[in-house]
Each structure stands twice: as structure tokens, then as C-alpha cells.
Amino acid sequence: MTKTGSCLCGKTTYRVDSLNKDIVWCHCTICRRASETAAVPWMTVSRNECHWTGDAPQKFQSSDHGTRYFCGTCGSPLAFCTTKHPDDLDLTVSTLQNPEQFAPVRHVWTSTRLPWWPADDLPAKIEIPEQSG
């Protein structure tokens, strides 16, 4: 199943050849700050099945193990990769064409979830944030 996506201005685009992995709500502090929202819906895909088809995204190393990809023109957050899972790439669900087809199935980093986030019945994984120096 091939899907496409883009940033807000449409200059940075991508194609994904297979959408067969996890879709989650991430509540970590870094995702919230990078996206300026309460939580980010991510879809994990195989890195080798995602192809940048427009302008190449800009990169920002947001932690010692994580790199974020964003449009250099409009600033839209597009993807995240980590050295902890080097074969995977996380795409922001909202940048997919027809994102309504891809609902998150669980929550991650719930130890930093905002207390006013609405409750639901999805499974949650509590992770303890790493201390920054």
C-alpha cells in the first residue's frame, strides 16, 4: 500500500511503500515542544520504504539518540528517527494524505502526558524520561 504525504507548504514530500507498523500517540516533552501540541500521532515505517520526493527535509538532533526531520520552508515536523531503532522511521500521521485512515492504537511516554489529556481505552506505556544534563 503506497501512501504519500507532505508538509504544510507542499515543498517537502514523501512516498511510503508500506504502512505496516505501529501508530501511537507520543506524549514526551520533546515531541510536544517540537510540534507545539499536546501529543503527536506517529506512524512507524521501515526506513528503507520511505522516499523523500520533494525538497529534502532539514534535520535537527533533538537528543543524543534522536533526529527530527522538518520542512526548511514552512517548518512542519515530518519525521523522527532514533539510533535505538535504526531501521525505523516515525512519520507524523497528520502529514499523510488522508490521515483519518490511520488512528493511533496506543499511547507512549505517558509519564509525561499532560494531566488534562482526555482519557480513552487505548493501551499506555509508561516510560521514564532520561535525565538531561
Side-chain angles (χ1 to χ4, degrees):
M1 171 191 337
T2 299
K3 289 291 182 181
T4 59
S6 72
C7 63
L8 175 63
C9 72
K11 289 187 177 182
T12 304
T13 58
Y14 62 87
R15 180 187 84 243
V16 182
D17 297 331
S18 178
L19 302 176
N20 58 359
K21 293 207 175 186
D22 206 12
I23 304 173
V24 304
W25 280 111
C26 182
H27 296 273
C28 82
T29 303
I30 296 174
C31 281
R32 290 198 328 254
R33 288 182 179 156
S35 65
E36 300 175 3
T37 189
V40 178
W42 292 107
M43 174 184 289
T44 303
V45 299
S46 295
R47 185 178 247 185
N48 63 356
E49 294 194 23
C50 183
H51 311 280
W52 300 106
T53 55
D55 290 354
Q58 299 293 304
K59 297 177 185 178
F60 172 70
Q61 188 168 351
S62 57
S63 67
D64 62 344
H65 60 84
T67 302
R68 293 174 184 275
Y69 296 74
F70 62 95
C71 174
T73 301
C74 68
S76 295
L78 296 163
F80 172 80
C81 66
T82 175
T83 57
K84 294 179 179 182
H85 303 281
D87 296 332
D88 292 337
L89 182 71
D90 294 327
L91 295 171
T92 52
V93 171
S94 299
T95 62
L96 285 162
Q97 186 177 27
N98 302 316
E100 67 278 3
Q101 298 174 357
F102 306 100
V105 297
R106 64 188 181 96
H107 297 272
V108 296
W109 291 100
T110 57
S111 63
T112 53
R113 182 184 348 203
L114 294 172
W116 46 261
W117 182 264
D120 59 37
D121 294 330
L122 296 179
K125 183 176 181 183
I126 297 174
E127 299 181 51
I128 305 301
E130 295 177 14
Q131 297 297 318
S132 57

